[in-house]
Amino acid sequence: MYEPNVVGDWHEYDEHAGLRVRVHRLEPAEPPRGRDDAAEGLTYFRLRITAENRGSRPCGIHLEDGQIDVRTGPDGEAAFVDWRSSQFIEGYDLYPLRRATAVVYAAAPEASLALVDVQIQLRVDDEWTDRRLWTGGIGVVEETVGANAAGCGGQGELAHQVADFLRDQAGPGTTG
């Protein structure tokens, strides 16, 4: 089992030298094309997924609907992803020292936005990468820092809490 990434952390792919990805800027936001009727009563939020090529050769990347799963709350309920308003990376040649960013709009009950999990599976040069998970939440940084008198921890502490929880769920005899 691997530890999940925290929203904002970069994940480097061993099988694609120099390629790294991160989920970041998890924030409340209204979609640019207006609200979808299916999201009635839900709170919209936006996240960005950035791929960066730090390698020496270009690579073709693909990240669209079906490769992104957004879950919220302690029970991992599926968020409504507004595919119409989101912007994806579709068949893009990412050259060295360049980035490409997808912007995803989603909606969920406001009470569940303190815990948001984003799982992505990037396609690189027509090969599928392993699925990777980022975890965070809207308002998590402020709450964590305010509750932490020593001033350390922050979102890194959230990642350790999630990893500990996943280890506990896996049962005895498994290692991370």
Side-chain angles (χ1 to χ4, degrees):
M1 179 190 320
Y2 61 89
E3 286 192 25
N5 300 289
V6 175
V7 168
D9 286 350
W10 287 100
H11 171 75
E12 298 197 23
Y13 290 97
D14 295 332
E15 63 272 25
H16 300 285
L19 182 65
R20 64 186 198 159
V21 175
R22 74 176 173 165
V23 173
H24 59 109
R25 285 209 191 147
L26 182 58
E27 59 195 359
E30 287 296 320
R33 297 187 179 114
R35 295 180 64 88
D36 189 304
D37 292 342
E40 178 116 14
L42 302 176
T43 301
Y44 263 92
F45 60 98
R46 170 180 59 212
L47 58 99
R48 294 176 185 270
I49 303 168
T50 299
E52 180 180 60
N53 186 352
R54 300 178 77 177
S56 59
R57 66 173 191 80
C59 57
I61 60 171
H62 196 84
L63 181 64
E64 64 175 355
D65 59 334
Q67 293 172 254
I68 303 166
D69 190 14
V70 181
R71 303 275 170 170
T72 64
D75 293 329
E77 298 276 336
F80 169 76
V81 178
D82 190 342
W83 303 116
R84 178 184 62 138
S85 294
S86 298
Q87 303 161 351
F88 301 101
I89 304 169
E90 300 179 49
Y92 187 76
D93 290 331
L94 189 60
Y95 284 85
L97 303 177
R98 297 286 191 248
R99 292 180 176 178
T101 300
V103 180
V104 178
Y105 287 88
E110 188 170 359
S112 68
L113 294 180
L115 181 58
V116 178
D117 293 332
V118 181
Q119 182 173 280
I120 67 167
Q121 184 175 21
L122 191 65
R123 196 169 77 201
V124 181
D125 293 332
D126 294 324
E127 288 181 25
W128 292 99
T129 62
D130 290 335
R131 293 182 187 275
R132 290 294 174 202
L133 177 71
W134 279 262
T135 188
I138 296 178
V140 170
V141 174
E142 294 83 5
E143 292 172 14
T144 304
V145 171
N148 190 350
C152 58
Q155 279 191 329
E157 180 63 26
L158 175 63
H160 293 294
Q161 290 174 8
V162 170
D164 290 342
F165 172 77
L166 292 173
R167 265 190 230 102
D168 291 345
Q169 294 299 312
T174 58
T175 58

